[in-house]
Amino acid sequence: MAIEPNSMTTAVLAPSKPPIDWSNSIKESAIAALVMLLIAIPIFAIKTDQAMNNVLSLETRWGLVATLCGLVFASRLFAHVVLWNRAPGAKPVQLIPDSVTAALGKISPVFGPLALGFAIIFPFVVYIEQGNGALKWVNNYGIQILIYVMLGWGLNIVVGLAGLLDLGYVAFYAIGAYTYALLSTSEPIQLWMAAHIGEGFWQAWAFWFCLPVAGVLAAFWGIILGFPVLRLRGDYLAIVTLAFGEIIYLVALNWVDFTGGGAGITSIPRVTFFGIPFTPGDDGFAARFGIDPSPVLRSIFLYFLILGLCLLTAFVTVRLRRLPVGRAWEALREDEIACRSLGINTTNTKLTAFAIGAMFGGFAGAFFSVRQGFVSPDSFKFLESATILAIVVLGGMGSLVGVVLASIAIVGGTELLRELDFLKQVFGDDFDPTQYRMLLVGLAMVLMMLWKPRGLISTREPSVFLKERKAVSGSLVKEGHG
Amino acid sequence: MRWLNDPVLTVEHLTMRFGGLTAVNDLSFQAGRGDITALIGPNGAGKTTVFNCITGFYKPTEGMLTLRQKSGPQFLLERMPDFQINWKAKVARTFQNIRLFQGMTLLENLMVAQHNGLMIASGFTFGGLVGLPSFRAKEKAALATAKDWLERVGLIDRADEPAGGLAYGEQRRLEIARAMCTGPELLCLDEPAAGLNPKESAELNALLRGIRKELGTSILLIEHDMSVVMEISDHVVVLDYGTKISDGTATEVKTDPRVVAAYLGVPDEEVEAVEMEVAR
């Protein structure tokens, strides 16, 4: 006899939605609105203002409070009636459907080459299209996003692969930036170089010498920090790395003789095309290569420089993952005790992860200071560490493609907010969308934690395989605990 | 009495205290080379503590642990850091609550176990980055070893699946394979048969016998499943409250009244007799 399992199970397992419990939904929503009211009264209800005659005046904004409470009530009611009111056994409503994330996982093998191709032609396309107007696109979008991609990939080695929570990654970025800034502006070095090699040599070549030095010094500091703290695990490690980040910031701020303090270091030599400066003069880049001089040329070169550094980071990460050391990092994230029982020196393994992650942070820092031509401690606050960590977590720990997507979303999204001028027509002229940046990032994080707690790309690619490379589901992969 | 003539592991006066609690008290025993030695005892007898001392996870309060390798060198395990006990002294272990790298594939698990050899072959990563041929060859050999062990434990078809997706019994077998991939002289198994059904237990017995017969690896195991203990072990050491109460072949231990008393308790009259003795 033919049995139709599908029709049978649907008949049994698909009861209609339960009737909406209106009184309970309204009660719950009212409670939520009340909580909002309690929060809103001290924050939003009264605004202090300065009148023309310098008298402090109070302005009440009960309308705003009422709007907020109404919004909370409405959205809570919506959640009760639509999102949470489902038949028993039915799948929860998903903001990002599984098919989208599955597609994201599928495109990841072709995503790399496609993204790289796009990244290579992007500056030329905007330069031909917009001429000098391309500066904004290359500089604000391209370079800015790529810096965070590089930082994200560097931190990904520490957090995503080795599972060590590092809240002070920006310290290594700062060390790299200050290394280049201090060495390139140092008078003794300049004089020595002028005396022994030639006038202007250091000005032209400083960056190319300081880039590796910055990486090595950052790695060195990574090891210095690592030795005492890598015995700590989990929260304790996170706190110490957080403190390290703050220490570097405070040293940069307070050691005025050495770092220039809060005023920072100015007139850092700009980047050169391997000795040829990007100046409009006769010996400049444009004249030598017979191109029309344009300020965009330097930005395009900087863009390709950071793209190259990113590719170096990606290449090294991909190679290291397939080497014993990379596999040991991931094993360490999965289970440290098992690692020790297999003869792996966990201290050294953690130190290499810390040092290599720090080295890439140092490279990115040197790039940052050659791009800005100015460094000050303000660029290396905790918020930077948090942003980089958010990129790694949002992208999916251990996933290179995920970090790229998250950087585009967070950094590119912030820049995009500046473009939303039409919102001024809606909200009035003094509405500045960029002020809502952190609010939106926070909202994105909350939504991510609700619907994709493992990040955009949560699957893990095995480093070695016998027959076929099958992605490992994110639910089996551990986040590490120290 | 091979364990007296040619011991692979000699435990002398091992004592482990945690604050006021003495988990292991003046324990001495020997494990013979090529033997399957079982460490048994009621719950809380201190068996796992002994294991943790041998494999370096605890530093013993007192006592000496000597490992003699077949080729001659001796190691004092209580003086070595834990990772060196595996790498230098060649002692491998499994865990009571399985500790696999769950998010990594079976093959990767076995590759991680061969980390140290591969690390040296890769010139501490620098040679591996540029793809030295000697590293490639070593990696190929490591893959062959991993494949061999996956075949032995019957998991070769699932080599590319994550270890966390395996059934309980399969995870136990994989953990043994992973420990064996480190090439140990002494394999310490902490309750390998826990949670296995009778068929899986029989397979485990066959696997352990195979390891001993083909590779000559000495095995030290903690076990509650007496069918496993009595069937495969050459030598049984019984612990109760951190002290050794019996030591001998499986049949000797089975009939030892002190062992029976520790496991099943003693009749009331005997307790009274002892109490009388103590009172006197």
Side-chain angles (χ1 to χ4, degrees), chain A residues 99-135:
Chain A
S99 52
V100 172
T101 48
L104 273 181
K106 275 206 191 95
I107 58 153
S108 52
V110 285
F111 180 84
L114 275 181
L116 180 60
F118 174 75
I120 288 172
I121 58 169
F122 167 74
F124 298 117
V125 170
V126 288
Y127 184 47
I128 292 164
E129 185 85 358
Q130 307 212 345
N132 285 351
L135 195 62

Side-chain angles (χ1 to χ4, degrees), chain B residues 42-169:
Chain B
N43 285 333
K47 305 179 295 290
T48 300
T49 308
V50 173
F51 256 45
N52 283 339
C53 289
I54 293 172
T55 49
F57 284 85
Y58 293 158
K59 287 278 159 265
T61 322
E62 287 166 26
M64 195 154 98
L65 302 155
T66 318
L67 187 112
R68 289 182 182 80
Q69 287 184 353
K70 202 179 282 173
S71 49
Q74 292 191 13
F75 296 90
L76 293 177
L77 302 183
E78 79 279 4
R79 298 190 185 174
M80 297 167 77
D82 47 14
F83 68 92
Q84 290 215 330
I85 288 182
N86 179 279
W87 169 232
K88 299 279 185 219
K90 296 285 171 205
V91 178
R93 74 168 292 179
T94 66
F95 295 87
Q96 198 171 352
N97 45 345
I98 305 169
R99 284 185 173 275
L100 286 170
F101 306 123
Q102 301 214 338
M104 302 174 87
T105 65
L106 273 59
L107 191 65
E108 284 180 301
N109 267 276
L110 301 193
M111 291 297 279
V112 171
Q114 305 176 58
H115 173 81
N116 283 319
L118 284 170
M119 196 71 187
I120 292 168
S122 75
F124 297 93
T125 303
F126 297 106
L129 267 183
V130 296
L132 281 187
S134 61
F135 170 65
R136 296 243 174 92
K138 180 83 185 173
E139 195 176 32
K140 232 177 184 174
L143 272 174
T145 311
K147 239 169 104 176
D148 178 42
W149 275 104
L150 283 174
E151 267 160 13
R152 277 174 196 256
V153 296
L155 293 170
I156 186 76
D157 296 332
R158 311 188 62 179
D160 297 327
E161 287 176 30
L166 294 179
Y168 193 77

